[in-house]
Amino acid sequence: MARSVLTMNNNIIMPSISFHQRTFGQNIRLDDNGVRATRHTSFDNGVTFTNKQIKMNERIHMKIIDVDETGQWLGSLAIGFTQIDPDSIQRKDLCKSSLPNLCFKDGISYIKRISDKLTRQIIITFYYNQDGAFYILDGKEQELSKNIDLKRPLWGIIDIYGNVKGVVFTTPMKAPDNSKSFFNKYDQKPDLLPICHYKHLKFGDLQSITFHHIHGLELELFCQNKVAFRKNVPELARPYVFIDLPMAIDDEYYLRILSIDPNYRTPGVIGFTNVNPSIFNEKFESLPSVDPMGLYDRKEYWIIVEDAFDEKLSELDEYRFIRQKDGDIQICRNNDSNTIKTIACTDPQQTFYPFFFLNGRIAAFSLIGLISSTNNAINNNKKTKEKDENAGLCQICLDTPASCVLIPCGHIVFCSDCKDSFEKKFSEKRCPICRDNYNNVFQIEDD
């Protein structure tokens, strides 16, 4: 297989393919090396060619570096191969668009417009062989054209059109992490990496949270279920993973991105559901396999968010999710106030389990911890009392023996007075230890 990279003397790997520097669209600007092309105005006149003939099975790797975010341009990138030598075309005669026919010149062109929404940083690979021309997007090989005429030389063609404004030739994508290389990237366990952006947090102040043991077959859990890792598999089916604790009002969840797979356009899906994931223990295959939007057809309540994470995410980014008193769920990246946005609106009277559908660029992440409103109430009172935590005392006042058994979980947390004040303060009857709803209280009589 031909290689489309070139190693320089200073060990910097550069692509061996560049843009043809004489024949390109009127609205195109090339950088000095000819590996970057940008359409600087309008939506057309962005046809470009490779600087050389492309050999069979030689792969062209191209990264999207700029897109139009105004929505004013329709249409998108077109890619393919042409038998027309770009040296035979005068730049002034070059057509505005590669489709439907490239300049009506003699020769055959095999070109396809990519209808999928393209985002910055996504890499598209395309090539041809005896079976036709193909491109790879989102980790899937798709057809450009069949029955390629292999008797004549072929040049690559990239029509930077519509909502795509800039591309650059690049080197082959790195292989996604396997579990061994994933752990070798860090000098300590990934769930114990220091908190870099939310510096006011300390692990000792955070409640531990974990992923539920029920998850998709493509995923693995490590570090006592605090790290979720997606395996490198050809096709994904049901890559669900749930957080094993529902999100209550004023809760703050913190997580960290650990591994990025550049083969995918979109980061992945986050969602929230009012159903305990334990019910899927025997019914996991009932969940939609490819498109999580199918969850809306189920009888439970589901919220699906496809744009919670943006295209700028990178490894070791830290995210905070907070559920406001009105039920709105907000996200913030790296403690940057400019990134705060509301991603979901929920019923404040219900709790929701966060879950992830890892079908995008996020291949692994870890749960840093939780700041819980109910546990803060208990922890703040503990700090003001110097009593033995194991003395069987009420965990609110730390003065009176705990005497209320919460049904059905069975935890003994409150004395009767503190139970009443706790229930007045919080709208839901929820055990501060396990977070399950309790519907009754059994009072223990003193001996």
Side-chain angles (χ1 to χ4, degrees):
M1 179 181 295
R3 295 178 62 84
S4 59
V5 296
L6 181 65
T7 303
M8 309 297 286
N9 291 333
N10 57 0
N11 295 324
I12 298 176
I13 300 178
M14 295 288 292
S16 62
I17 297 174
S18 60
F19 290 100
H20 196 283
Q21 297 200 44
R22 188 179 72 82
T23 305
F24 53 88
Q26 298 292 329
N27 289 332
I28 290 295
R29 291 175 178 168
L30 303 179
D31 70 350
D32 293 339
N33 295 319
V35 297
R36 182 189 302 263
T38 304
R39 192 188 74 245
H40 62 90
T41 187
S42 188
F43 64 93
D44 55 7
N45 275 313
V47 176
T48 63
F49 302 88
T50 58
N51 66 322
K52 66 173 187 174
Q53 299 173 18
I54 304 300
K55 301 176 182 178
M56 182 186 297
N57 287 317
E58 181 176 10
R59 301 204 168 199
I60 302 173
H61 305 283
M62 180 181 61
K63 181 189 292 186
I64 307 297
I65 57 172
D66 195 14
V67 296
D68 173 64
E69 296 178 341
T70 66
Q72 63 179 325
W73 306 130
L74 299 177
S76 187
L77 185 80
I79 57 175
F81 298 94
T82 182
Q83 295 176 347
I84 304 170
D85 185 346
D87 280 330
S88 69
I89 307 173
Q90 295 294 319
R91 189 180 179 195
K92 63 181 178 63
D93 298 330
L94 191 60
C95 53
K96 293 184 177 182
S97 172
S98 61
L99 294 171
N101 194 344
L102 182 62
C103 304
F104 305 102
K105 291 276 187 179
D106 292 335
I108 300 175
S109 299
Y110 312 93
I111 306 169
K112 181 176 182 179
R113 196 169 301 285
I114 307 300
S115 59
D116 304 86
K117 180 181 178 181
L118 300 176
T119 58
R120 290 184 181 89
Q121 303 306 312
I122 183 63
I123 295 176
I124 302 174
T125 299
F126 61 108
Y127 64 98
Y128 71 92
N129 57 29
Q130 292 179 338
D131 298 321
F134 304 89
Y135 70 99
I136 300 174
L137 178 64
D138 280 350
K140 299 177 182 178
E141 184 178 79
Q142 303 181 56
E143 184 180 291
L144 276 173
S145 180
K146 286 186 175 180
N147 303 320
I148 300 293
D149 180 5
L150 302 177
K151 297 179 181 179
R152 298 181 62 179
L154 293 170
W155 285 261
I157 181 169
I158 301 96
D159 186 358
I160 305 172
Y161 185 88
N163 54 33
V164 173
K165 298 171 61 178
V167 300
V168 61
F169 290 120
T170 185
T171 56
M173 291 177 288
K174 70 172 185 177
D177 291 323
N178 56 35
S179 56
K180 181 177 180 180
S181 62
F182 169 66
F183 279 96
N184 285 341
K185 290 197 302 185
Y186 306 107
D187 56 5
Q188 60 189 118
K189 292 175 64 178
D191 62 313
L192 297 179
L193 293 172
I195 301 173
C196 297
H197 299 285
Y198 295 92
K199 296 184 181 297
H200 63 284
L201 296 178
K202 296 181 180 179
F203 280 113
D205 298 330
L206 296 172
Q207 178 181 338
S208 177
I209 48 176
T210 60
F211 293 109
H212 199 282
H213 69 276
I214 297 174
H215 57 79
L217 295 177
E218 295 92 344
L219 308 180
E220 294 181 283
L221 300 183
F222 299 102
C223 304
Q224 298 180 324
N225 289 4
K226 293 181 181 179
V227 173
F229 173 81
R230 186 182 68 209
K231 304 174 186 176
N232 183 16
V233 294
E235 293 187 8
L236 296 172
R238 300 184 185 88
Y240 296 93
V241 61
F242 297 83
I243 293 181
D244 194 18
L245 196 65
M247 194 174 197
I249 293 298
D250 289 332
D251 278 357
E252 298 180 24
Y253 283 70
Y254 293 86
L255 61 86
R256 177 186 288 114
I257 307 298
L258 292 174
S259 182
I260 296 294
D261 186 344
N263 290 285
Y264 292 85
R265 287 175 297 156
T266 56
V269 173
I270 184 173
F272 306 89
T273 179
N274 66 346
V275 61
N276 190 316
S278 297
I279 72 167
F280 302 120
N281 191 32
E282 302 294 335
K283 302 178 180 179
F284 197 79
E285 293 187 356
S286 69
L287 296 174
S289 60
V290 177
D291 187 0
M293 289 299 175
L295 293 168
Y296 286 135
D297 296 330
R298 296 181 61 89
K299 63 180 180 180
E300 308 95 2
Y301 189 78
W302 298 84
I303 300 173
I304 313 297
V305 187
E306 295 185 290
D307 58 353
F309 302 97
D310 60 36
E311 62 194 23
K312 297 179 181 178
L313 66 83
S314 60
E315 293 181 359
L316 300 184
D317 276 350
E318 296 168 356
Y319 284 84
R320 180 189 68 178
F321 295 85
I322 181 170
R323 192 166 180 226
Q324 307 284 4
K325 286 182 171 58
D326 59 1
D328 287 358
I329 298 176
Q330 292 185 335
I331 186 175
C332 177
R333 176 170 57 88
N334 294 338
N335 205 18
D336 181 356
S337 60
N338 294 322
T339 66
I340 297 176
K341 62 179 179 178
T342 298
I343 60 171
C345 300
T346 66
D347 181 354
Q349 300 304 315
Q350 297 191 54
T351 55
F352 290 86
Y353 289 86
F355 71 93
F356 302 87
F357 190 83
L358 296 184
N359 64 337
R361 302 184 74 195
I362 298 176
F365 60 101
S366 65
L367 298 176
I368 298 174
L370 159 71
I371 294 180
S372 165
S373 58
T374 55
N375 280 282
N376 280 343
I378 292 176
N379 290 334
N380 288 337
N381 282 287
K382 284 183 179 180
K383 292 178 181 179
T384 63
K385 305 288 183 177
E386 297 180 353
K387 296 203 173 191
D388 186 357
E389 294 181 354
N390 299 317
L393 297 176
C394 168
Q395 297 298 288
I396 294 291
C397 67
L398 291 176
D399 284 325
T400 307
S403 59
C404 296
V405 182
L406 306 184
I407 306 299
C409 67
H411 288 118
I412 306 174
V413 184
F414 311 116
C415 65
S416 58
D417 290 340
C418 288
K419 177 191 77 70
D420 293 340
S421 61
F422 182 84
E423 291 179 350
K424 289 179 181 179
K425 183 175 181 180
F426 298 101
S427 58
E428 291 184 282
K429 293 182 178 180
R430 183 170 297 280
C431 173
I433 295 178
C434 67
R435 308 291 292 284
D436 282 345
N437 287 322
Y438 63 89
N439 50 39
N440 203 353
V441 175
F442 179 75
Q443 186 76 33
I444 302 175
E445 298 293 339
D446 293 336
D447 293 336

